[in-house]
């Protein structure tokens, strides 16, 4: 996982041949380069300058695309990256965590890079984060870079209507585990009601207000 070679550490080229078109498109929109299909993958030079399809490889390629700005420059790369493409990248990172977690933990810059990527969807309340389009049906999603201490995981089985834009959505397998790896904490239920529900009780629809009140009483 470590980009010890000077060539590959500064390379934004990725072997995208086995990637989905959506993921490959998103990475290229974010500034990565695709290895030409005609290139012989067995050549030693390819391994020295081209990242494979892995969480580590993709993150190093994105960092190379950000240039001297490094982690801080990652959000700016995603101005033309759409919803489906961001979700595809998030899915890759969640899937690869299972086999790359030890390597990811060993490279703190990669954890920082994942938090900086504006690929994390939040619930509809609050400021909603960055708006991104790009899906075939014109769907728009709210995406943020993760801020520890700001973004949280909601308690299990929480009414989605009570969740503000500080709560990160987990819609696919492995996403919650990936968020925990990145240091995002789950809010306890009592704290959730105290800090996030009491203040908005008066503005909730009657049915939702009644349900929230009953839930608090039973906690």
């Amino acid at each position: 996982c470590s980009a010890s070679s000077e060539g590959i550490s500064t390379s934004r080229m990725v072997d995208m041949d086995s990637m989905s078109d959506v993921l490959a498109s998103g990475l290229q929109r974010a500034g990565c380069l695709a290895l030409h299909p005609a290139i012989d993958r067995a050549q030693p030079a390819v391994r020295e300058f081209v990242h494979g399809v892995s969480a580590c490889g993709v993150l190093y390629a994105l960092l190379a695309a950000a240039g001297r700005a490094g982690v801080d420059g990652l959000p700016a790369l995603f101005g033309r990256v759409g919803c489906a493409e961001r979700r595809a990248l998030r899915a890759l990172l969640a899937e690869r965590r299972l086999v790359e977690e030890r390597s990811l933990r060993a490279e703190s810059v990669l954890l920082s890079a994942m938090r900086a990527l504006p690929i994390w969807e939040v619930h509809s309340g609050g400021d909603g984060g960055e708006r991104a389009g790009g899906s075939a049906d014109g769907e728009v999603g709210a995406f943020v870079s993760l801020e520890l201490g700001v973004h949280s995981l909601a308690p299990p089985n929480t009414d989605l209507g009570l969740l503000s834009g500080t709560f990160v959505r987990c819609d696919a397998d492995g996403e919650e585990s990936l968020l925990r790896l990145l240091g995002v904490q789950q809010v306890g239920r009592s704290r959730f009601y105290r800090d996030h529900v009491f203040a908005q009780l008066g503005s909730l629809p009657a049915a939702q207000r009644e349900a929230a009140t009953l839930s608090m009483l039973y906690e």
Side-chain angles (χ1 to χ4, degrees):
C1 184
S2 175
S4 56
S5 163
E6 181 178 351
I8 202 167
S9 68
T10 59
S11 173
R12 54 194 178 105
M13 184 168 290
V14 181
D15 185 358
M16 302 184 189
D17 194 47
S18 62
M19 284 184 181
S20 69
D21 291 342
V22 174
L23 178 56
S25 171
L27 290 176
Q28 289 177 83
R29 287 177 184 269
C32 296
L33 302 174
L35 180 65
H36 194 281
I39 299 295
D40 182 3
R41 268 68 175 166
Q43 293 185 29
V46 170
R47 293 190 294 273
E48 291 294 321
F49 293 97
V50 181
H51 298 283
V53 182
S54 67
C56 293
V58 165
L59 290 168
Y60 276 123
L62 287 167
L63 285 168
R68 292 185 178 180
V71 169
D72 292 338
L74 291 173
L77 300 178
F78 281 74
R80 296 176 54 246
V81 181
C83 287
E85 294 162 334
R86 296 183 194 217
R87 288 170 184 146
L89 175 54
R90 195 171 73 228
L92 171 73
L93 297 175
E95 177 186 337
R96 295 296 303 177
R97 180 202 62 81
L98 292 170
V99 294
E100 295 185 63
E101 182 168 344
R102 180 177 296 180
S103 297
L104 291 168
R105 285 185 182 276
E107 300 287 338
S108 61
V109 68
L110 298 184
L111 298 180
S112 296
M114 281 193 282
R115 286 190 287 264
L117 295 174
I119 62 173
W120 309 99
E121 288 183 84
V122 292
H123 288 275
S124 58
D127 61 16
E130 176 189 355
R131 311 304 294 184
S135 62
D137 58 3
E139 180 185 7
V140 175
F143 295 86
V144 298
S145 300
L146 294 175
E147 294 184 60
L148 299 184
V150 174
H151 294 111
S152 307
L153 291 165
N157 304 315
T158 300
D159 180 352
L160 299 183
L162 299 175
L163 298 180
S164 71
T166 63
F167 288 98
V168 186
R169 294 176 55 172
C170 295
D171 295 329
D173 291 343
E175 287 187 9
E176 182 174 331
S177 296
L178 179 59
L179 287 164
R180 291 181 184 277
L181 171 65
L182 297 178
V184 178
Q185 301 294 312
Q186 186 171 59
V187 175
R189 196 167 297 278
S190 59
R191 180 186 163 195
F192 170 75
Y193 284 121
R194 183 184 71 242
D195 295 349
H196 299 278
V197 178
F198 281 147
Q200 62 171 322
L201 269 180
S203 62
L204 295 175
Q208 193 175 35
R209 182 170 61 249
E210 180 179 352
T213 303
L214 288 173
S215 295
M216 288 187 283
L217 290 174
Y218 281 111
E219 287 298 324

Short mmCIF file of all heavy atoms in Angstrom, two decimals, residues 114-157:
data_model
loop_
_atom_site.label_atom_id
_atom_site.label_comp_id
_atom_site.label_asym_id
_atom_site.label_seq_id
_atom_site.Cartn_x
_atom_site.Cartn_y
_atom_site.Cartn_z
N MET A 114 -9.19 10.25 2.84
CA MET A 114 -10.56 9.75 2.75
C MET A 114 -11.54 10.72 3.42
O MET A 114 -12.63 10.97 2.91
CB MET A 114 -10.67 8.36 3.36
CG MET A 114 -10.18 7.26 2.44
SD MET A 114 -10.65 5.60 2.99
CE MET A 114 -9.43 5.35 4.30
N ARG A 115 -11.14 11.26 4.57
CA ARG A 115 -12.02 12.22 5.24
C ARG A 115 -12.20 13.48 4.40
O ARG A 115 -13.27 14.10 4.41
CB ARG A 115 -11.45 12.58 6.62
CG ARG A 115 -11.62 11.48 7.66
CD ARG A 115 -11.29 11.97 9.05
NE ARG A 115 -9.85 12.16 9.22
CZ ARG A 115 -9.04 11.25 9.76
NH1 ARG A 115 -9.53 10.09 10.19
NH2 ARG A 115 -7.75 11.49 9.89
N ALA A 116 -11.18 13.87 3.65
CA ALA A 116 -11.24 15.11 2.86
C ALA A 116 -12.06 14.97 1.59
O ALA A 116 -12.53 15.98 1.04
CB ALA A 116 -9.82 15.57 2.51
N LEU A 117 -12.24 13.75 1.11
CA LEU A 117 -12.99 13.57 -0.14
C LEU A 117 -14.46 13.96 0.05
O LEU A 117 -15.11 13.47 0.97
CB LEU A 117 -12.91 12.11 -0.59
CG LEU A 117 -11.53 11.57 -0.97
CD1 LEU A 117 -11.62 10.08 -1.25
CD2 LEU A 117 -10.97 12.32 -2.18
N PRO A 118 -15.01 14.81 -0.81
CA PRO A 118 -16.43 15.19 -0.68
C PRO A 118 -17.35 14.15 -1.30
O PRO A 118 -18.08 14.40 -2.26
CB PRO A 118 -16.49 16.53 -1.43
CG PRO A 118 -15.45 16.40 -2.49
CD PRO A 118 -14.33 15.57 -1.87
N ILE A 119 -17.31 12.96 -0.71
CA ILE A 119 -18.09 11.83 -1.23
C ILE A 119 -19.08 11.31 -0.19
O ILE A 119 -19.80 10.35 -0.45
CB ILE A 119 -17.18 10.67 -1.68
CG1 ILE A 119 -16.36 10.13 -0.49
CG2 ILE A 119 -16.25 11.13 -2.81
CD1 ILE A 119 -15.55 8.88 -0.82
N TRP A 120 -19.11 11.94 0.98
CA TRP A 120 -19.92 11.43 2.08
C TRP A 120 -21.26 12.15 2.09
O TRP A 120 -21.33 13.37 2.15
CB TRP A 120 -19.18 11.64 3.40
CG TRP A 120 -17.79 11.09 3.32
CD1 TRP A 120 -16.64 11.78 3.09
CD2 TRP A 120 -17.41 9.72 3.40
NE1 TRP A 120 -15.57 10.93 3.04
CE2 TRP A 120 -16.01 9.66 3.22
CE3 TRP A 120 -18.12 8.53 3.63
CZ2 TRP A 120 -15.31 8.46 3.25
CZ3 TRP A 120 -17.42 7.35 3.65
CH2 TRP A 120 -16.03 7.31 3.48
N GLU A 121 -22.34 11.38 2.03
CA GLU A 121 -23.67 11.97 1.98
C GLU A 121 -24.22 12.19 3.39
O GLU A 121 -24.05 11.36 4.26
CB GLU A 121 -24.62 11.09 1.17
CG GLU A 121 -24.31 11.13 -0.31
CD GLU A 121 -25.29 10.32 -1.13
OE1 GLU A 121 -26.37 10.84 -1.48
OE2 GLU A 121 -24.96 9.16 -1.42
N VAL A 122 -24.87 13.33 3.54
CA VAL A 122 -25.48 13.65 4.83
C VAL A 122 -26.99 13.73 4.66
O VAL A 122 -27.52 13.81 3.55
CB VAL A 122 -24.94 14.98 5.38
CG1 VAL A 122 -23.47 14.84 5.76
CG2 VAL A 122 -25.14 16.12 4.39
N HIS A 123 -27.69 13.71 5.78
CA HIS A 123 -29.14 13.80 5.75
C HIS A 123 -29.58 15.21 5.37
O HIS A 123 -28.77 16.14 5.33
CB HIS A 123 -29.72 13.33 7.09
CG HIS A 123 -29.60 11.85 7.28
ND1 HIS A 123 -30.52 10.96 6.79
CD2 HIS A 123 -28.62 11.10 7.85
CE1 HIS A 123 -30.15 9.72 7.06
NE2 HIS A 123 -29.00 9.78 7.71
N SER A 124 -30.84 15.37 5.12
CA SER A 124 -31.32 16.56 4.41
C SER A 124 -31.37 17.82 5.24
O SER A 124 -31.47 18.91 4.70
CB SER A 124 -32.71 16.31 3.83
OG SER A 124 -33.61 15.96 4.87
N GLY A 125 -31.30 17.70 6.57
CA GLY A 125 -31.36 18.89 7.40
C GLY A 125 -30.07 19.67 7.37
O GLY A 125 -29.10 19.33 6.70
N GLY A 126 -30.01 20.76 8.13
CA GLY A 126 -28.79 21.55 8.23
C GLY A 126 -28.46 22.23 6.92
O GLY A 126 -29.32 22.53 6.10
N ASP A 127 -27.16 22.48 6.71
CA ASP A 127 -26.76 23.20 5.50
C ASP A 127 -26.71 22.31 4.28
O ASP A 127 -26.59 22.79 3.16
CB ASP A 127 -25.40 23.90 5.71
CG ASP A 127 -24.27 22.91 6.01
OD1 ASP A 127 -24.45 21.71 5.77
OD2 ASP A 127 -23.22 23.36 6.48
N GLY A 128 -26.80 20.98 4.49
CA GLY A 128 -26.92 20.07 3.36
C GLY A 128 -25.65 19.78 2.61
O GLY A 128 -25.62 18.90 1.76
N GLY A 129 -24.57 20.50 2.89
CA GLY A 129 -23.32 20.23 2.21
C GLY A 129 -23.33 20.66 0.76
O GLY A 129 -24.21 21.38 0.29
N GLU A 130 -22.32 20.22 0.03
CA GLU A 130 -22.19 20.54 -1.39
C GLU A 130 -23.25 19.79 -2.19
O GLU A 130 -23.53 18.63 -1.92
CB GLU A 130 -20.79 20.12 -1.86
CG GLU A 130 -20.56 20.30 -3.35
CD GLU A 130 -19.25 19.67 -3.80
OE1 GLU A 130 -18.50 19.18 -2.95
OE2 GLU A 130 -19.01 19.67 -5.01
N ARG A 131 -23.83 20.47 -3.17
CA ARG A 131 -24.81 19.81 -4.02
C ARG A 131 -24.11 19.30 -5.27
O ARG A 131 -23.32 20.00 -5.89
CB ARG A 131 -25.92 20.78 -4.44
CG ARG A 131 -26.53 21.57 -3.30
CD ARG A 131 -27.08 20.70 -2.20
NE ARG A 131 -28.21 19.90 -2.63
CZ ARG A 131 -28.91 19.12 -1.82
NH1 ARG A 131 -28.58 19.02 -0.55
NH2 ARG A 131 -29.93 18.42 -2.28
N ALA A 132 -24.38 18.05 -5.63
CA ALA A 132 -23.75 17.46 -6.81
C ALA A 132 -24.79 16.77 -7.65
O ALA A 132 -25.66 16.08 -7.14
CB ALA A 132 -22.67 16.45 -6.39
N GLY A 133 -24.70 16.97 -8.96
CA GLY A 133 -25.59 16.28 -9.88
C GLY A 133 -24.82 15.22 -10.63
O GLY A 133 -23.80 14.74 -10.17
N GLY A 134 -25.32 14.85 -11.78
CA GLY A 134 -24.55 13.95 -12.62
C GLY A 134 -25.18 12.60 -12.86
O GLY A 134 -24.67 11.82 -13.65
N SER A 135 -26.29 12.27 -12.22
CA SER A 135 -26.92 10.99 -12.48
C SER A 135 -27.82 11.10 -13.70
O SER A 135 -28.21 12.18 -14.10
CB SER A 135 -27.73 10.52 -11.26
OG SER A 135 -28.76 11.42 -10.98
N ALA A 136 -28.17 9.97 -14.27
CA ALA A 136 -28.94 9.97 -15.50
C ALA A 136 -30.31 10.61 -15.31
O ALA A 136 -30.86 11.20 -16.23
CB ALA A 136 -29.10 8.53 -16.00
N ASP A 137 -30.88 10.49 -14.10
CA ASP A 137 -32.21 11.04 -13.88
C ASP A 137 -32.18 12.44 -13.27
O ASP A 137 -33.19 12.95 -12.81
CB ASP A 137 -33.02 10.11 -12.97
CG ASP A 137 -32.35 9.88 -11.62
OD1 ASP A 137 -31.28 10.48 -11.37
OD2 ASP A 137 -32.91 9.11 -10.81
N GLY A 138 -30.99 13.06 -13.26
CA GLY A 138 -30.88 14.40 -12.73
C GLY A 138 -30.86 14.47 -11.22
O GLY A 138 -31.00 15.53 -10.63
N GLU A 139 -30.68 13.34 -10.56
CA GLU A 139 -30.67 13.29 -9.10
C GLU A 139 -29.58 14.19 -8.54
O GLU A 139 -28.49 14.31 -9.08
CB GLU A 139 -30.42 11.84 -8.64
CG GLU A 139 -30.38 11.69 -7.14
CD GLU A 139 -30.01 10.27 -6.74
OE1 GLU A 139 -29.68 9.48 -7.63
OE2 GLU A 139 -30.07 9.98 -5.54
N VAL A 140 -29.88 14.84 -7.44
CA VAL A 140 -28.92 15.69 -6.77
C VAL A 140 -28.72 15.18 -5.35
O VAL A 140 -29.68 14.87 -4.65
CB VAL A 140 -29.39 17.16 -6.75
CG1 VAL A 140 -28.44 18.01 -5.95
CG2 VAL A 140 -29.51 17.69 -8.17
N GLY A 141 -27.48 15.09 -4.90
CA GLY A 141 -27.20 14.63 -3.55
C GLY A 141 -26.44 15.68 -2.77
O GLY A 141 -25.88 16.61 -3.33
N ALA A 142 -26.43 15.55 -1.44
CA ALA A 142 -25.70 16.46 -0.57
C ALA A 142 -24.45 15.75 -0.07
O ALA A 142 -24.54 14.74 0.63
CB ALA A 142 -26.58 16.87 0.61
N PHE A 143 -23.28 16.26 -0.43
CA PHE A 143 -22.01 15.61 -0.13
C PHE A 143 -21.13 16.54 0.68
O PHE A 143 -21.11 17.75 0.47
CB PHE A 143 -21.29 15.21 -1.41
CG PHE A 143 -22.01 14.16 -2.22
CD1 PHE A 143 -22.98 14.54 -3.14
CD2 PHE A 143 -21.74 12.82 -2.05
CE1 PHE A 143 -23.66 13.58 -3.89
CE2 PHE A 143 -22.41 11.86 -2.79
CZ PHE A 143 -23.37 12.24 -3.72
N VAL A 144 -20.37 15.96 1.60
CA VAL A 144 -19.46 16.73 2.43
C VAL A 144 -18.13 16.00 2.55
O VAL A 144 -18.04 14.80 2.32
CB VAL A 144 -20.02 16.96 3.86
CG1 VAL A 144 -21.32 17.75 3.81
CG2 VAL A 144 -20.22 15.62 4.58
N SER A 145 -17.11 16.75 2.94
CA SER A 145 -15.90 16.16 3.49
C SER A 145 -16.16 15.96 4.97
O SER A 145 -16.87 16.76 5.59
CB SER A 145 -14.71 17.10 3.28
OG SER A 145 -14.48 17.35 1.91
N LEU A 146 -15.60 14.92 5.55
CA LEU A 146 -15.88 14.61 6.95
C LEU A 146 -15.08 15.51 7.89
O LEU A 146 -13.88 15.73 7.68
CB LEU A 146 -15.52 13.16 7.24
CG LEU A 146 -16.37 12.09 6.55
CD1 LEU A 146 -15.81 10.70 6.85
CD2 LEU A 146 -17.83 12.18 6.97
N GLU A 147 -15.75 16.01 8.91
CA GLU A 147 -15.09 16.77 9.98
C GLU A 147 -15.34 16.04 11.29
O GLU A 147 -16.49 15.94 11.74
CB GLU A 147 -15.65 18.19 10.07
CG GLU A 147 -15.35 19.06 8.87
CD GLU A 147 -15.84 20.48 9.09
OE1 GLU A 147 -15.39 21.14 10.07
OE2 GLU A 147 -16.69 20.94 8.30
N LEU A 148 -14.27 15.54 11.89
CA LEU A 148 -14.42 14.84 13.16
C LEU A 148 -14.89 15.83 14.22
O LEU A 148 -14.39 16.95 14.32
CB LEU A 148 -13.09 14.21 13.58
CG LEU A 148 -12.52 13.17 12.60
CD1 LEU A 148 -11.25 12.55 13.16
CD2 LEU A 148 -13.55 12.08 12.31
N GLY A 149 -15.85 15.41 15.03
CA GLY A 149 -16.43 16.30 16.01
C GLY A 149 -17.62 17.06 15.50
O GLY A 149 -18.37 17.66 16.28
N VAL A 150 -17.81 17.07 14.18
CA VAL A 150 -18.97 17.72 13.57
C VAL A 150 -19.93 16.68 13.02
O VAL A 150 -21.13 16.69 13.31
CB VAL A 150 -18.54 18.69 12.45
CG1 VAL A 150 -19.77 19.24 11.72
CG2 VAL A 150 -17.71 19.83 13.02
N HIS A 151 -19.39 15.77 12.22
CA HIS A 151 -20.22 14.74 11.62
C HIS A 151 -20.27 13.49 12.50
O HIS A 151 -19.27 13.11 13.11
CB HIS A 151 -19.70 14.40 10.22
CG HIS A 151 -19.83 15.54 9.26
ND1 HIS A 151 -18.75 16.24 8.78
CD2 HIS A 151 -20.94 16.12 8.74
CE1 HIS A 151 -19.18 17.20 7.98
NE2 HIS A 151 -20.50 17.14 7.94
N SER A 152 -21.44 12.88 12.55
CA SER A 152 -21.67 11.74 13.43
C SER A 152 -22.54 10.70 12.73
O SER A 152 -23.15 10.97 11.69
CB SER A 152 -22.39 12.19 14.72
OG SER A 152 -21.73 13.24 15.35
N LEU A 153 -22.58 9.52 13.36
CA LEU A 153 -23.54 8.49 12.98
C LEU A 153 -24.72 8.57 13.93
O LEU A 153 -24.54 8.76 15.14
CB LEU A 153 -22.89 7.12 13.07
CG LEU A 153 -21.80 6.80 12.04
CD1 LEU A 153 -21.01 5.57 12.47
CD2 LEU A 153 -22.40 6.61 10.67
N ALA A 154 -25.93 8.44 13.41
CA ALA A 154 -27.12 8.50 14.24
C ALA A 154 -27.30 7.19 15.00
O ALA A 154 -26.79 6.14 14.59
CB ALA A 154 -28.35 8.77 13.37
N PRO A 155 -28.06 7.22 16.10
CA PRO A 155 -28.38 5.96 16.78
C PRO A 155 -29.17 5.04 15.85
O PRO A 155 -29.84 5.52 14.92
CB PRO A 155 -29.26 6.42 17.96
CG PRO A 155 -28.95 7.87 18.14
CD PRO A 155 -28.62 8.39 16.77
N PRO A 156 -29.14 3.74 16.06
CA PRO A 156 -29.88 2.82 15.20
C PRO A 156 -31.38 3.10 15.22
O PRO A 156 -31.94 3.52 16.24
CB PRO A 156 -29.57 1.44 15.81
CG PRO A 156 -28.33 1.64 16.62
CD PRO A 156 -28.37 3.05 17.11
N ASN A 157 -32.01 2.89 14.07
CA ASN A 157 -33.47 2.98 13.94
C ASN A 157 -34.05 4.34 14.32
O ASN A 157 -35.14 4.45 14.87
CB ASN A 157 -34.15 1.89 14.79
CG ASN A 157 -33.67 0.50 14.44
OD1 ASN A 157 -33.56 0.15 13.27
ND2 ASN A 157 -33.34 -0.29 15.46
#
